[in-house]
Amino acid sequence: QDGDNEEPTGHLVVAQRIMRRENFMIAFINKGLLDLTLPTLPPQFGRIATWMNKPKEEKRVFFSKSIEWSIYFCVLNYMFNHSRKIRPAFYGDASSLRRRFFLCGVAHAIFMPFLLFFVSLHFFMSNIYDWR
């Protein structure tokens, strides 16, 4: 009975393995584990503070591609091992997750001027004919 120890390879199992990271991302958002709302501002900011300082139920979720990339890089890429199973070290090492988020924040801060220039240039170049 050599075939008893093999893992099932049905279409559903293959699709679940391929989509495992995306399903975890969806579950994080649906269960409210990721608080992606914008923080409140002090009242010195005037109208912007009154617009942003809404109750938590009324706040809009801010989810950009850079935040998605950061979550994938810091959490989901480290969560699974080479056989696409959850690593045992992932459960107990909160300092490693904190360090990865800190390094990702530093990388965002370093590359932000270049990204803003590129996005502005791309927007300008893609819409230049519409403004004529």
Side-chain angles (χ1 to χ4, degrees), residues 54-114:
K54 295 180 180 177
K56 190 163 185 99
E57 297 82 25
E58 296 179 15
K59 285 189 174 184
R60 296 194 61 175
V61 174
F62 181 72
F63 190 74
S64 66
K65 277 298 199 185
S66 64
I67 291 176
E68 180 183 2
W69 176 84
S70 299
I71 293 169
Y72 272 108
F73 178 75
C74 294
V75 178
L76 296 174
N77 284 345
Y78 183 73
M79 182 185 242
F80 300 107
N81 59 12
H82 64 281
S83 62
R84 296 191 185 259
K85 295 186 179 175
I86 296 179
R87 293 182 189 193
F90 179 76
Y91 295 119
D93 196 10
S95 62
S96 175
L97 181 63
R98 187 177 297 118
R99 184 175 55 248
R100 284 192 305 273
F101 273 125
F102 178 77
L103 291 175
C104 193
V106 169
H108 277 287
I110 290 171
F111 293 117
M112 185 57 67
F114 305 108

Side-chain angles (χ1 to χ4, degrees), residues 7-20:
E7 296 183 23
T9 57
H11 296 293
L12 181 62
V13 173
V14 171
Q16 287 174 339
R17 285 192 178 189
I18 291 172
M19 297 294 294
R20 184 168 284 171

Side-chain angles (χ1 to χ4, degrees), residues 2 13 15 18 25-26 28 34 40-41 47 53 57 61 66 70 75 82 92 102 113 118 123 125 128:
D2 293 330
V13 173
I18 291 172
M25 178 69 91
I26 292 168
F28 287 158
L34 296 175
T40 58
L41 290 175
R47 288 186 188 173
N53 294 346
E57 297 82 25
V61 174
S66 64
S70 299
V75 178
H82 64 281
F102 178 77
F118 172 74
F123 176 78
M125 292 299 197
I128 190 74

